[in-house]
């Protein structure tokens, strides 16, 4: 049978992370993986989640019925309270519940992008987001920047040149490089969005996991007092559990309206059962205390990895200590290709993600991403001993 697939399928590609995950599985359980982006299972609020589902079932069979496309209103109300505490003004009816924040990215792409439209992004940026944009045949253009965010001059030049449908950013503990945009760069992006009538997609899945409570990071959506320029999305995957697959998105009314309509065509609704359970969880559990526990423990995870990296010559590996999130972004000596290095370190029983696939343009093949949240502290120690030994051996081989 010769299948006549849509032209857009030519844009589809498998995630490098998924491919490496398959390799790790084939290698067996002896491999310590810093490759994924998973939370640490022992930190899951398992008992509280079980109790929340019991409360849903105790409420009667109506909890098992179809729900609204826009989502369970009590949960939308709880999310409204949480985002308001961040300075984002979003009423419950202005929030759309989604199947993870990845669906928010997909829905906005579906609403906004026609073949050939431009999306401006950071470089490197979140791999699954670029997959979504490219699946709708968009053209991705990288904006130059540094650890503080996009350079306003380059951003303005590329907005004028390409007239993008939107600018995609992960300004707080970004994936993959863990950076935090400065307040000045956030404000500059918003001002340019006002000036050129450009939409911003602010992706914030990691913002709650911060290591220094005294530091404050203002969401760009909180700066958008006009409520015209920023579509803001986040999820509970990193702070509760990934498998609930509950995210949310808020933004300009006209945009959220179309996203709701296209979601109805896509899946009718995300799971009402899971949404109701999450509502009870948020109602009866101190989520902020849970997040403080996660942040404290993940800081300890990161510190172990940091201390091992500090034993390496800075000419071999350079990196910036993250202030939150789940990743350390490292650059090895320019003579080393991280994809080839991965093959070597897998033989040592440890894995990471090469950085090249995260780049929209001009990939730096001597970069790599390390996840410190999923392995336990003891495995991080063993894995980093293996990894640092492999780094040193790669230099000798080179």
């Amino acid at each position: 049978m010769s299948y006549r697939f849509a032209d857009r399928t030519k844009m589809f590609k498998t995630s490098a992370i998924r491919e490496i995950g398959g390799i790790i599985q084939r290698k067996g359980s002896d491999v310590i993986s810093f490759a994924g982006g998973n939370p640490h299972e022992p930190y899951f609020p398992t008992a509280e989640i079980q109790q929340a589902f019991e409360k849903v079932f105790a409420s009667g069979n109506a909890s098992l019925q179809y729900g609204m496309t826009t989502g369970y209103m009590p949960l939308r109300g709880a999310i409204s309270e949480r985002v308001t505490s961040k300075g984002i003004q979003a009423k419950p009816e202005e929030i759309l519940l989604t199947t993870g924040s990845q669906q928010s990215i997909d829905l906005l792409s579906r609403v906004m992008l026609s073949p050939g439209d431009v999306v401006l992004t950071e470089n490197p940026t979140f791999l699954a987001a670029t997959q979504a944009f490219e699946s709708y045949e968009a053209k991705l253009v990288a904006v130059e920047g540094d650890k503080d965010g996009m350079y306003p001059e380059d951003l303005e030049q590329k907005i004028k040149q390409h007239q993008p449908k939107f600018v995609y950013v992960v300004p707080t503990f970004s994936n993959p490089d863990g950076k935090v945009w400065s307040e000045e760069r956030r404000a500059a992006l918003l001002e340019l969005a006002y000036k050129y009538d450009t939409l911003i997609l602010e992706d914030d899945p990691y913002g709650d996991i911060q290591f220094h409570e005294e530091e404050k990071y203002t969401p760009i959506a909180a700066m958008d007092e006009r409520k015209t320029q920023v579509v803001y999305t986040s999820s509970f995957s990193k702070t509760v559990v990934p498998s609930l697959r509950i995210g949310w998105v808020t933004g300009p009314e006209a945009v959220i309206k179309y996203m709701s309509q296209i979601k109805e065509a896509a899946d009718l609704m995300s799971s009402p059962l899971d949404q109701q359970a999450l509502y009870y969880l948020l109602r009866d559990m101190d989520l902020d205390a849970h997040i403080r526990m996660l942040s404290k423990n993940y800081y300890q995870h990161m510190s172990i990895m940091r201390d091992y990296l500090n034993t390496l010559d800075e000419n071999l590996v350079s990196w910036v200590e993250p202030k939150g999130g789940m990743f350390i972004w490292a650059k090895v000596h320019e003579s080393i290709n991280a994809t080839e290095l991965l093959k070597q370190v897998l033989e040592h029983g440890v894995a990471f993600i090469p950085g090249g696939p995260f780049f929209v343009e001009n990939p730096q093949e001597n970069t790599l991403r390390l996840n410190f949240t999923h392995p336990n502290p003891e495995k991080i120690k063993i894995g980093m001993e293996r990894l640092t030994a492999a780094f040193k051996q790669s230099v000798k081989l080179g």
Side-chain angles (χ1 to χ4, degrees):
M1 177 70 184
S2 178
Y3 299 101
R4 294 181 293 170
F5 293 112
D7 289 344
R8 74 177 66 90
T9 58
K10 298 174 184 177
M11 307 299 294
F12 295 178
K13 55 188 176 184
T14 302
S15 164
I17 297 173
R18 301 296 178 191
E19 290 180 343
I20 292 171
I23 294 171
I24 293 168
Q25 280 192 333
R26 291 193 294 273
K27 285 283 185 178
S29 59
D30 289 339
V31 174
I32 295 174
S33 177
F34 302 136
N38 295 350
H40 188 50
E41 286 97 338
Y43 300 156
F44 289 166
T46 306
E48 291 86 348
I49 292 173
Q50 181 177 342
Q51 292 166 10
F53 273 100
E54 290 172 353
K55 292 169 187 174
V56 176
F57 289 119
S59 70
N61 285 349
S63 65
L64 304 177
Q65 189 53 274
Y66 284 108
M68 298 292 292
T69 298
T70 49
Y72 185 54
M73 182 55 80
L75 178 56
R76 294 160 73 192
I79 292 170
S80 174
E81 292 178 5
R82 293 193 66 80
V83 299
T84 298
S85 70
K86 297 175 181 288
I88 301 170
Q89 300 305 310
K91 299 176 183 177
E93 58 270 22
E94 297 171 333
I95 292 171
L96 171 66
L97 299 185
T98 59
T99 305
S101 56
Q102 181 65 26
Q103 189 181 44
S104 301
I105 296 170
D106 181 79
L107 293 175
L108 183 69
S109 300
R110 201 165 169 184
V111 165
M112 299 299 299
L113 297 174
S114 299
D117 283 342
V118 169
V119 177
L120 299 184
T121 75
E122 301 169 83
N123 199 37
T125 193
F126 179 42
L127 183 57
T130 63
Q131 286 180 287
F133 304 148
E134 290 179 335
S135 74
Y136 293 101
E137 302 175 78
K139 178 183 178 183
L140 306 184
V141 176
V143 178
E144 295 179 14
D146 58 17
K147 63 180 180 60
D148 293 320
M150 291 177 172
Y151 293 138
E153 299 80 7
D154 191 56
L155 175 61
E156 182 168 20
Q157 186 270 323
K158 285 173 178 168
I159 290 176
K160 289 192 292 185
Q161 178 182 354
H162 296 287
Q163 299 179 352
K165 282 295 183 70
F166 55 86
V167 182
Y168 172 73
V169 294
V170 189
T172 309
F173 316 134
S174 61
N175 181 0
D177 54 359
K179 68 173 177 286
V180 179
W181 282 41
S182 68
E183 294 288 300
E184 293 76 16
R185 294 284 178 82
R186 295 171 192 242
L189 168 57
L190 183 60
E191 286 305 312
L192 289 171
Y194 286 146
K195 182 177 179 180
Y196 294 101
D197 197 22
T198 302
L199 197 65
I200 299 167
L201 174 54
E202 181 178 12
D203 192 6
D204 189 23
Y206 311 101
D208 283 334
I209 303 174
Q210 65 177 77
F211 300 149
H212 309 290
E213 287 188 28
E214 70 280 3
E215 297 189 10
K216 302 300 178 184
Y217 313 113
T218 307
I220 300 169
M223 299 176 172
D224 182 16
E225 296 180 356
R226 302 180 193 176
K227 297 177 66 174
T228 56
Q229 307 304 132
V230 183
V231 175
Y232 176 90
T233 184
S234 187
S235 83
F236 291 96
S237 293
K238 307 302 186 290
T239 54
V240 182
V241 293
S243 64
L244 285 177
R245 304 307 302 133
I246 297 177
W248 72 90
V249 61
T250 189
E253 180 181 0
V255 178
I256 300 301
K257 176 183 176 182
Y258 275 124
M259 291 177 70
S260 300
Q261 291 176 347
I262 207 69
K263 178 174 170 59
E264 184 175 343
D267 64 2
L268 293 182
M269 60 190 176
S270 299
S271 169
L273 183 67
D274 292 343
Q275 292 176 18
Q276 291 174 68
L278 181 58
Y279 165 70
Y280 283 117
L281 186 79
L282 297 183
R283 188 192 72 176
D284 300 333
M285 171 183 148
D286 188 343
L287 181 59
D288 290 328
H290 178 71
I291 291 171
R292 286 194 293 272
M293 178 276 292
L294 290 178
S295 299
K296 177 181 178 181
N297 288 344
Y298 286 154
Y299 177 75
Q300 294 175 346
H301 286 218
M302 184 279 296
S303 298
I304 296 169
M305 188 172 282
R306 172 199 65 198
D307 292 345
Y308 275 93
L309 289 172
N310 279 337
T311 66
L312 297 171
D313 190 303
E314 62 182 16
N315 291 321
L316 174 59
V317 180
S318 61
W319 55 284
V320 176
E321 180 175 328
K323 297 182 178 182
M326 304 178 77
F327 307 108
I328 287 179
W329 180 251
K331 182 179 290 188
V332 294
H333 191 273
E334 61 184 10
S335 65
I336 301 172
N337 182 292
T339 301
E340 295 301 315
L341 179 62
L342 175 63
K343 298 175 184 178
Q344 297 176 30
V345 302
L346 279 169
E347 297 305 315
H348 287 73
V350 65
F352 59 78
I353 294 292
F358 294 98
F359 286 84
V360 174
E361 299 174 4
N362 305 315
Q364 297 178 19
E365 301 295 351
N366 62 326
T367 57
L368 54 99
R369 192 193 74 176
L370 299 170
N371 168 257
F372 51 77
T373 58
H374 187 242
N376 64 40
E378 187 58 34
K379 283 195 172 182
I380 294 175
K381 292 177 184 177
I382 297 170
M384 289 304 295
E385 286 174 358
R386 296 175 180 177
L387 186 63
T388 52
F391 281 167
K392 293 172 183 176
Q393 183 180 1
S394 69
V395 173
K396 293 178 182 178
L397 292 174

